[in-house]
Amino acid sequence: MQTRLCQMLGIGFPLVAFSHCRDVVAAVSRAGGFGVFGAAGTTPEQLEIELSWIDAHTDGHPYGVDLLVPENLAFRTEAGATQGSLAGKIPNSHRAFVHDLLRRHSVDPTAGRDPREDPDRLPSYQFETAEKLMDVAFRHPIRLIANALGVPPASMRERARQHGIPCAALVGAREHAERQVAAGVDILVAQGGEAGGHCGEVSTLVLVPEVLRATQGKVPVLAAGGIMTGRQMAACMAMGAEGVWTGSVWLATVESETSPVFREKMVAARSRDTVRSRGRTGKPARQLRSAWTDAWEGPDSPAPLPMPLQGMLSEPAMARATRAAEAGNAQARALVSYFVGQGVGLVEDIPDCRQVVAGFMTDFAAALEDMQRVAQSL
Amino acid sequence: MQTRLCQMLGIGFPLVAFSHCRDVVAAVSRAGGFGVFGAAGTTPEQLEIELSWIDAHTDGHPYGVDLLVPENLAFRTEAGATQGSLAGKIPNSHRAFVHDLLRRHSVDPTAGRDPREDPDRLPSYQFETAEKLMDVAFRHPIRLIANALGVPPASMRERARQHGIPCAALVGAREHAERQVAAGVDILVAQGGEAGGHCGEVSTLVLVPEVLRATQGKVPVLAAGGIMTGRQMAACMAMGAEGVWTGSVWLATVESETSPVFREKMVAARSRDTVRSRGRTGKPARQLRSAWTDAWEGPDSPAPLPMPLQGMLSEPAMARATRAAEAGNAQARALVSYFVGQGVGLVEDIPDCRQVVAGFMTDFAAALEDMQRVAQSL
């Protein structure tokens, strides 16, 4: 396929796969899609390791990197801040709530050392951290840099220009799209409210035409949110999107580092089993409903903390619950959750990434054939 | 277009238009779509008048009728029940809440006589009422009967069979679709959570493939929820839907009986200005956010009453607010609302129904052409 978007990314099939797992990123790019490594939450040292591995496993196929630098944060850390300097902002009552929740599910709230609790670690989602991650990313042959929450910082757009690669941004509302284009973003990802992770409330089917109408073809638009099949991809392109950005579908692959417990939950889940909750990151993010999300919705629950504090509480706790569940603790299993969209209702098994990409291509072609038959019958 | 669905309905372009306005139903059918008259809330006498008018104005083109007979109601009325016998179930505190709300918006809560407050009137949404409405509907040459909430009663399916016309039902989740097909429904309308009126939470883009997978082609599936354009229609058909069921787009037409105040609000509204609320009917229904919906979400608000009681409270009150707003009362204007989906963000003007149908056809053909270009470039 020769479209503006395909040329920008150096690909022939505009299926973009977002993943925090390097194996997924490399496998999708090798199979003819475009893998994007989600670097939010990693350290610069870790990112260097991941991208070097990807370079060695993509056989020269293009890939990208996604950061999460929120435009709006409740507070910004000072230069040199660490997780340790932020930890004091987490109320003891919140820590007690989480410890109690874990104990009620037979999970030891202090079991094992979690690297994300290291006080010397750089805080996530901060400009300073993002700069250091970008220092690493731009030393690698990335073909796209994206920001997952709000207008990318000026330095991200500037560095992308210097390296001759596009800068993408996710949007959940028409107004965001207009601001992003005005700020000089090269590719928009119009992500509907059915998506996993941070999302708005407008559905993909409504948001995509809204964003296209508002931006008038100035930049390519990728559709995102709920897309698990090539027919849905064809649907989005029939509306005028130049491709799709996908996430949840890659969690249910053999290459994914997702816990086997969560993968089993995905296969069992219905589309109505997800919830848009602040309980994981502090901002509304869609995830599988579990005892964790229920706990933060309760009438007596404390309000979730602003980003990044809520994640500092939730991530180590959820890691402990997941490890306990993997070890066979049935009560802990009830807590296990992760970011996933409503498309989880379409997950039936755990294929490998090559099969998923091939399935998208077959399914996409079948949809085009059907549409050709319709066109001939008009 | 010659599909199974088109043959069932006797049409060439599978654009179904749901409306409570006879002018819209007739205009859409005349223009090559398929109008469906929403009979919920009308009396048998009124329905006879409406359908006779439609018969005289469709030039022989096919149309259908939609009823709202909920599968689950908090209580069923006895034979011979009237609105008067139900009125005692509305707590005085709820009446006081509504009266106070209207007064705070400078609306006289007892202004004018509202026919829906007639104590001798048949209660809405009841089997007994539905039977009488069906007595009327089946005396007219309808080509479809549909139920908007749950499995249609056995008598609806049976009468449809006797008259040789299909019986359709709306579903908002895969499980509902499986039950409907098992009950013998002929056409499914898979309606996503972005739809106006009663809706679930799963988006159209996810629900349509889920329903198609669950029902394995046993019956045609119409996609619904957020569909305002021919490109979105093409998108849904690329996923395998045999056509679309639309509602909100017809509210923003010159033929619609919608208040001019509400039409102005629709043109101004963004897709994020709708809310899924129990405040209008007692069951979750998407509508334009207004001072009315806000009032029922407040921390000190009474809980909305079960269907049909909440509607007995809300409909006359909203009619009074709307009349006051039409007369220039700016405070009353803040209350005005109606059932509308997220697609309201795509409403830019108020065309006539013929223009809307023609726009769908042009837009649909443009999407097919684009997809043909994509197919050739593969």
Side-chain angles (χ1 to χ4, degrees):
Chain A
M1 209 180 300
Q2 277 306 316
T3 65
R4 171 173 60 163
L5 187 274
C6 286
Q7 282 166 4
M8 274 179 168
L9 300 184
I11 51 175
F13 189 68
L15 169 62
V16 178
F18 170 88
S19 176
H20 290 295
C21 171
R22 64 189 187 185
D23 303 74
V24 170
V25 172
V28 170
S29 286
R30 277 201 314 273
F34 186 90
V36 173
F37 185 77
T42 54
T43 61
E45 298 73 30
Q46 204 180 326
L47 184 61
E48 175 59 39
I49 294 169
E50 306 290 6
L51 298 189
S52 296
W53 189 94
I54 291 173
D55 290 339
H57 291 83
T58 42
D59 304 342
H61 290 281
Y63 73 93
V65 165
D66 176 276
L67 296 177
L68 201 160
V69 198
E71 204 177 338
N72 300 307
L73 267 188
F75 52 87
R76 295 281 176 195
T77 53
E78 302 296 311
T82 61
Q83 287 209 146
S85 56
L86 278 176
K89 294 184 193 289
I90 299 177
N92 283 333
S93 54
H94 277 72
R95 291 193 194 277
F97 177 79
V98 168
H99 283 206
D100 180 56
L101 178 62
L102 292 186
R103 279 197 206 97
R104 278 189 286 119
H105 288 86
S106 305
V107 178
D108 175 357
T110 59
R113 201 191 138 270
D114 193 293
R116 281 164 301 195
E117 289 171 317
D118 180 354
D120 295 334
R121 191 176 164 115
L122 290 172
S124 294
Y125 317 129
Q126 300 289 328
F127 283 135
E128 272 233 322
T129 311
E131 290 295 335
K132 295 198 170 80
L133 291 171
M134 278 192 274
D135 290 344
V136 174
F138 281 106
R139 282 201 299 268
H140 291 265
I142 59 172
R143 287 292 299 265
L144 174 78
I145 187 115
N147 188 37
L149 212 61
V151 172
S155 65
M156 189 187 288
R157 307 196 300 273
E158 185 48 40
R159 288 200 202 193
R161 226 178 327 267
Q162 284 166 7
H163 283 79
I165 66 167
C167 178
L170 273 74
V171 299
R174 187 189 67 189
E175 302 78 37
H176 301 165
E178 289 164 350
R179 284 201 301 115
Q180 296 275 14
V181 170
V185 157
D186 305 299
I187 296 171
L188 286 178
V189 181
Q191 176 167 283
E194 57 266 68
H198 295 112
C199 63
E201 295 181 88
V202 182
S203 80
T204 305
L205 193 74
V206 172
L207 182 66
V208 168
E210 267 198 298
V211 166
L212 286 166
R213 205 181 273 183
T215 57
Q216 297 284 328
K218 285 176 195 141
V219 299
V221 173
L222 291 168
I227 301 165
M228 311 292 279
T229 73
R231 278 196 182 268
Q232 290 170 302
M233 179 176 173
C236 292
M237 292 180 70
M239 291 194 287
E242 294 190 30
V244 293
W245 174 284
T246 53
S248 302
V249 69
W250 311 105
L251 297 175
T253 61
V254 293
E255 288 92 340
S256 168
E257 285 160 7
T258 321
S259 163
V261 175
F262 184 69
R263 279 188 275 196
E264 285 168 27
K265 282 192 159 192
M266 274 194 287
V267 172
R270 303 168 311 165
S271 55
R272 293 195 282 174
D273 293 334
T274 72
V275 62
R276 193 168 166 267
S277 160
R278 293 182 189 269
R280 186 86 181 227
T281 73
K283 287 185 183 274
R286 189 171 293 283
Q287 50 209 281
L288 196 67
R289 190 181 161 187
S290 83
W292 176 269
T293 60
D294 286 351
W296 291 96
E297 305 287 329
D300 303 321
S301 312
L305 299 171
M307 183 181 264
L309 303 181
Q310 185 71 12
M312 290 170 65
L313 260 185
S314 70
E315 291 306 330
M318 291 302 272
R320 289 190 173 100
T322 304
R323 280 196 302 270
E326 286 169 358
N329 175 340
Q331 287 174 288
R333 193 182 171 93
L335 286 166
V336 173
S337 172
Y338 192 64
F339 306 108
V340 72
Q342 291 185 337
V344 72
L346 293 163
V347 171
E348 290 176 349
D349 51 11
I350 308 293
D352 67 32
C353 289
R354 174 173 295 275
Q355 288 171 313
V356 176
V357 174
F360 261 86
M361 289 176 172
T362 309
D363 206 34
F364 183 80
L368 293 190
E369 268 176 47
D370 284 358
M371 295 312 277
Q372 248 169 319
R373 263 195 297 278
V374 168
Q376 282 156 6
S377 77
L378 279 184
Chain B
M1 208 179 302
Q2 276 308 317
T3 65
R4 170 173 61 163
L5 187 272
C6 286
Q7 281 165 4
M8 275 179 168
L9 300 183
I11 52 175
F13 188 69
L15 169 62
V16 178
F18 170 88
S19 176
H20 290 295
C21 172
R22 64 189 187 185
D23 304 75
V24 170
V25 172
V28 170
S29 286
R30 278 201 313 274
F34 186 91
V36 173
F37 184 78
T42 53
T43 61
E45 299 73 29
Q46 204 179 326
L47 184 61
E48 176 59 40
I49 295 169
E50 306 291 6
L51 297 189
S52 297
W53 189 94
I54 290 172
D55 290 339
H57 290 83
T58 42
D59 303 342
H61 291 280
Y63 72 93
V65 166
D66 176 275
L67 296 177
L68 202 160
V69 197
E71 204 178 336
N72 300 307
L73 267 188
F75 52 88
R76 298 275 176 199
T77 52
E78 303 296 310
T82 60
Q83 287 209 147
S85 55
L86 277 177
K89 295 185 193 286
I90 299 177
N92 283 333
S93 54
H94 276 74
R95 292 195 192 276
F97 177 79
V98 168
H99 283 205
D100 180 56
L101 177 62
L102 292 185
R103 279 197 205 96
R104 279 188 285 118
H105 289 86
S106 305
V107 178
D108 176 356
T110 58
R113 199 192 140 269
D114 192 292
R116 282 165 300 195
E117 290 170 318
D118 181 354
D120 296 332
R121 191 176 165 114
L122 289 172
S124 294
Y125 317 129
Q126 301 288 329
F127 283 135
E128 273 234 321
T129 312
E131 291 296 335
K132 296 199 169 80
L133 291 171
M134 278 192 273
D135 290 344
V136 175
F138 282 105
R139 283 201 298 268
H140 292 266
I142 59 171
R143 289 291 299 264
L144 174 78
I145 187 111
N147 188 37
L149 212 60
V151 173
S155 65
M156 189 186 288
R157 306 197 300 273
E158 185 47 38
R159 290 201 201 193
R161 229 181 323 267
Q162 284 166 7
H163 284 79
I165 68 166
C167 177
L170 273 75
V171 298
R174 188 190 64 188
E175 301 79 37
H176 303 167
E178 289 163 350
R179 282 201 301 117
Q180 297 274 13
V181 170
V185 157
D186 304 299
I187 296 171
L188 285 179
V189 181
Q191 176 166 284
E194 57 265 69
H198 295 113
C199 63
E201 295 182 88
V202 182
S203 80
T204 305
L205 194 72
V206 171
L207 182 66
V208 169
E210 266 197 301
V211 166
L212 286 165
R213 204 182 275 183
T215 56
Q216 296 284 332
K218 283 175 197 143
V219 299
V221 173
L222 291 168
I227 301 165
M228 311 291 280
T229 72
R231 279 196 181 268
Q232 290 170 300
M233 178 176 173
C236 292
M237 293 180 69
M239 291 195 287
E242 294 190 31
V244 293
W245 174 283
T246 54
S248 301
V249 70
W250 310 105
L251 297 174
T253 61
V254 294
E255 288 92 341
S256 168
E257 284 159 9
T258 321
S259 163
V261 175
F262 184 69
R263 279 189 275 199
E264 286 168 26
K265 282 193 160 191
M266 274 193 286
V267 172
R270 303 168 309 164
S271 54
R272 292 196 281 174
D273 293 335
T274 71
V275 63
R276 194 168 166 268
S277 160
R278 293 183 188 270
R280 187 84 182 229
T281 72
K283 286 185 185 273
R286 191 171 292 284
Q287 50 208 284
L288 197 67
R289 190 182 160 186
S290 84
W292 177 269
T293 60
D294 286 351
W296 291 96
E297 306 286 329
D300 304 322
S301 311
L305 298 171
M307 185 180 261
L309 303 181
Q310 186 70 13
M312 291 170 65
L313 260 184
S314 70
E315 291 307 328
M318 292 301 273
R320 289 188 172 102
T322 304
R323 282 196 301 271
E326 286 170 356
N329 176 339
Q331 287 174 287
R333 193 182 171 92
L335 286 167
V336 173
S337 173
Y338 193 64
F339 306 108
V340 71
Q342 291 186 337
V344 71
L346 292 163
V347 170
E348 290 177 349
D349 51 12
I350 308 293
D352 66 33
C353 289
R354 174 172 294 275
Q355 289 172 312
V356 175
V357 175
F360 261 86
M361 289 175 172
T362 309
D363 207 34
F364 183 80
L368 292 190
E369 270 177 45
D370 285 359
M371 295 313 276
Q372 249 170 317
R373 264 196 297 277
V374 167
Q376 283 155 5
S377 76
L378 278 184

